[in-house]
Amino acid sequence: MLVPFRTGVSHTNLALIFVVAVVAISALGNRFAGAIAALSSACWFDFLLTRPYQQFTIAGTGDLETAVLLLVVGLVVSQLAARARTMRMIAITDAAHLARLHDTARLVHSGSPDAVVGQVRQQLVDVLGLAGCRFEYGTLLGHPPRLDQDGGLVVARRRWDIERLGWPEGEVELRVAAEGLFLGRFMLSPVAGSVPSLQARLVAVSLADQAGAALSGARPVPET
């Protein structure tokens, strides 16, 4: 589209049009798409708009500088757009996590313990991207993989690198306790290949703590 204007419009202005295209692609796509768009823009600017035409050679020093700047600016813009998109997603995710914690805390004070456990169970599915989740009351049996209070995983009494290895096979327990007493556990059924962020895992632990607070308030007070 720009070829008919390559002799009547300055190459700097033509390069700016390429920059606009890179910005649009970076905003709508991802980091990789933006980088490819920047590299492609520099190549086609050289091939189609600078002498000698239809060759990957640039005769003029000014055109060479413009092509290099087009590539650099395009790469920088693509990275900034990707970072802005990531920050926006983090803000949205943080707001969603905060809303879940707030809703559960309110239910702890106004609803039944069973209602709190049911809500937390569904929220754990959403927060961690689980295939399913169930709750077991009472004594903890066996030694399944465990999601700890710090958001880490323990498998066979050893730390498990979830960021590198993903979820372990089988169900993962998330213990529910209050005042030093275990009241039960959520049994998490992960989706194979998924890796929830540390932030999501810490939110899951906080939700389990709220379930513990609800169950603790429902326990009968021993007679003295």
Side-chain angles (χ1 to χ4, degrees):
M1 294 175 59
L2 297 177
V3 167
F5 306 99
R6 64 189 178 188
T7 56
V9 179
S10 70
H11 289 172
T12 302
N13 290 336
L14 294 176
L16 289 175
I17 296 175
F18 275 108
V19 171
V20 172
V22 172
V23 170
I25 293 172
S26 300
L28 297 175
N30 54 31
R31 190 188 305 269
F32 180 74
I36 292 298
L39 180 61
S40 177
S41 295
C43 290
W44 294 121
F45 175 80
D46 173 14
F47 190 77
L48 296 174
L49 303 181
T50 63
R51 298 179 185 274
Y53 298 129
Q54 297 183 346
Q55 296 183 36
F56 288 109
T57 303
I58 299 179
T61 303
D63 288 341
L64 177 60
E65 293 175 350
T66 300
V68 172
L69 287 174
L70 173 60
L71 175 60
V72 172
V73 170
L75 290 174
V76 171
V77 166
S78 68
Q79 299 306 305
L80 290 176
R83 181 173 178 80
R85 188 164 49 249
T86 299
M87 296 302 295
R88 184 170 63 250
M89 290 303 300
I90 290 174
I92 293 172
T93 301
D94 286 346
H97 289 336
L98 183 61
R100 289 188 178 96
L101 292 171
H102 176 74
D103 290 344
T104 303
R106 185 170 53 186
L107 187 60
V108 168
H109 294 289
S110 61
S112 68
D114 288 340
V116 174
V117 168
Q119 177 165 304
V120 170
R121 184 170 55 80
Q122 182 56 54
Q123 288 177 332
L124 291 175
V125 171
D126 296 337
V127 169
L128 298 175
L130 303 174
C133 178
R134 60 188 178 87
F135 185 75
E136 293 182 349
Y137 289 90
T139 306
L140 307 178
L141 300 176
H143 299 283
R146 182 178 75 251
L147 179 58
D148 256 351
Q149 288 293 308
D150 62 358
L153 255 71
V154 175
V155 179
R157 304 182 186 278
R158 294 184 178 181
R159 300 292 291 186
W160 178 271
D161 188 352
I162 186 173
E163 278 78 15
R164 185 171 62 88
L165 302 174
W167 287 105
E169 293 185 1
E171 290 184 313
V172 176
E173 73 171 5
L174 173 55
R175 296 178 177 180
V176 175
E179 301 174 3
L181 297 175
F182 289 113
L183 304 174
R185 61 185 177 183
F186 290 98
M187 299 302 295
L188 317 176
S189 298
V191 174
S194 66
V195 180
S197 66
L198 176 59
Q199 181 189 39
R201 302 197 302 272
L202 290 174
V203 170
V205 170
S206 297
L207 290 170
D209 288 342
Q210 291 183 335
L215 292 171
S216 176
R219 289 189 298 116
V221 178
E223 295 182 1
T224 56

